[in-house]
mmCIF file of all heavy atoms in Angstrom:
data_model
loop_
_atom_site.group_PDB
_atom_site.id
_atom_site.type_symbol
_atom_site.label_atom_id
_atom_site.label_comp_id
_atom_site.label_asym_id
_atom_site.label_seq_id
_atom_site.Cartn_x
_atom_site.Cartn_y
_atom_site.Cartn_z
ATOM 1 N N GLY D 102 127.982 -106.838 -134.743
ATOM 2 C CA GLY D 102 127.135 -106.404 -135.828
ATOM 3 C C GLY D 102 125.713 -106.099 -135.398
ATOM 4 O O GLY D 102 125.348 -106.257 -134.219
ATOM 5 N N PRO D 103 124.856 -105.662 -136.340
ATOM 6 C CA PRO D 103 123.513 -105.169 -135.992
ATOM 7 C C PRO D 103 122.643 -106.159 -135.228
ATOM 8 O O PRO D 103 121.985 -105.796 -134.256
ATOM 9 C CB PRO D 103 122.911 -104.830 -137.356
ATOM 10 C CG PRO D 103 124.083 -104.549 -138.226
ATOM 11 C CD PRO D 103 125.154 -105.470 -137.769
ATOM 12 N N GLU D 104 122.604 -107.423 -135.656
ATOM 13 C CA GLU D 104 121.708 -108.377 -135.002
ATOM 14 C C GLU D 104 122.123 -108.634 -133.559
ATOM 15 O O GLU D 104 121.276 -108.691 -132.658
ATOM 16 C CB GLU D 104 121.662 -109.679 -135.794
ATOM 17 C CG GLU D 104 120.961 -109.550 -137.148
ATOM 18 C CD GLU D 104 120.830 -110.889 -137.859
ATOM 19 O OE1 GLU D 104 121.180 -111.928 -137.231
ATOM 20 O OE2 GLU D 104 120.387 -110.908 -139.023
ATOM 21 N N ALA D 105 123.434 -108.784 -133.335
ATOM 22 C CA ALA D 105 123.912 -109.053 -131.980
ATOM 23 C C ALA D 105 123.677 -107.857 -131.063
ATOM 24 O O ALA D 105 123.270 -108.013 -129.905
ATOM 25 C CB ALA D 105 125.402 -109.407 -132.009
ATOM 26 N N VAL D 106 123.919 -106.650 -131.570
ATOM 27 C CA VAL D 106 123.712 -105.446 -130.759
ATOM 28 C C VAL D 106 122.227 -105.265 -130.441
ATOM 29 O O VAL D 106 121.851 -104.935 -129.309
ATOM 30 C CB VAL D 106 124.269 -104.211 -131.478
ATOM 31 C CG1 VAL D 106 123.898 -102.930 -130.731
ATOM 32 C CG2 VAL D 106 125.791 -104.314 -131.612
ATOM 33 N N ALA D 107 121.372 -105.480 -131.434
ATOM 34 C CA ALA D 107 119.932 -105.366 -131.194
ATOM 35 C C ALA D 107 119.466 -106.367 -130.150
ATOM 36 O O ALA D 107 118.640 -106.038 -129.279
ATOM 37 C CB ALA D 107 119.168 -105.559 -132.502
ATOM 38 N N ALA D 108 119.996 -107.581 -130.209
ATOM 39 C CA ALA D 108 119.599 -108.599 -129.228
ATOM 40 C C ALA D 108 120.025 -108.205 -127.825
ATOM 41 O O ALA D 108 119.267 -108.373 -126.856
ATOM 42 C CB ALA D 108 120.201 -109.947 -129.619
ATOM 43 N N ARG D 109 121.247 -107.670 -127.687
ATOM 44 C CA ARG D 109 121.715 -107.250 -126.357
ATOM 45 C C ARG D 109 120.880 -106.089 -125.833
ATOM 46 O O ARG D 109 120.574 -106.020 -124.641
ATOM 47 C CB ARG D 109 123.195 -106.860 -126.415
ATOM 48 C CG ARG D 109 124.134 -108.038 -126.627
ATOM 49 C CD ARG D 109 125.538 -107.760 -126.103
ATOM 50 N NE ARG D 109 126.206 -106.672 -126.764
ATOM 51 C CZ ARG D 109 126.878 -106.798 -127.919
ATOM 52 N NH1 ARG D 109 126.931 -107.970 -128.531
ATOM 53 N NH2 ARG D 109 127.476 -105.764 -128.457
ATOM 54 N N THR D 110 120.521 -105.187 -126.709
ATOM 55 C CA THR D 110 119.695 -104.052 -126.287
ATOM 56 C C THR D 110 118.324 -104.526 -125.818
ATOM 57 O O THR D 110 117.828 -104.093 -124.772
ATOM 58 C CB THR D 110 119.548 -103.046 -127.438
ATOM 59 O OG1 THR D 110 120.851 -102.589 -127.838
ATOM 60 C CG2 THR D 110 118.708 -101.856 -127.019
ATOM 61 N N ARG D 111 117.704 -105.413 -126.589
ATOM 62 C CA ARG D 111 116.385 -105.924 -126.198
ATOM 63 C C ARG D 111 116.439 -106.646 -124.861
ATOM 64 O O ARG D 111 115.554 -106.499 -124.014
ATOM 65 C CB ARG D 111 115.843 -106.848 -127.284
ATOM 66 C CG ARG D 111 115.430 -106.147 -128.566
ATOM 67 C CD ARG D 111 114.605 -107.069 -129.459
ATOM 68 N NE ARG D 111 115.360 -108.264 -129.841
ATOM 69 C CZ ARG D 111 116.091 -108.361 -130.946
ATOM 70 N NH1 ARG D 111 116.181 -107.318 -131.773
ATOM 71 N NH2 ARG D 111 116.720 -109.474 -131.235
ATOM 72 N N ALA D 112 117.499 -107.424 -124.670
ATOM 73 C CA ALA D 112 117.627 -108.171 -123.423
ATOM 74 C C ALA D 112 117.798 -107.240 -122.228
ATOM 75 O O ALA D 112 117.256 -107.489 -121.145
ATOM 76 C CB ALA D 112 118.811 -109.137 -123.515
ATOM 77 N N ALA D 113 118.564 -106.151 -122.415
ATOM 78 C CA ALA D 113 118.806 -105.218 -121.311
ATOM 79 C C ALA D 113 117.565 -104.400 -120.982
ATOM 80 O O ALA D 113 117.255 -104.166 -119.803
ATOM 81 C CB ALA D 113 119.970 -104.289 -121.665
#
Side-chain angles (χ1 to χ4, degrees):
E104 291 185 6
V106 173
R109 290 205 297 276
T110 301
R111 289 193 300 268

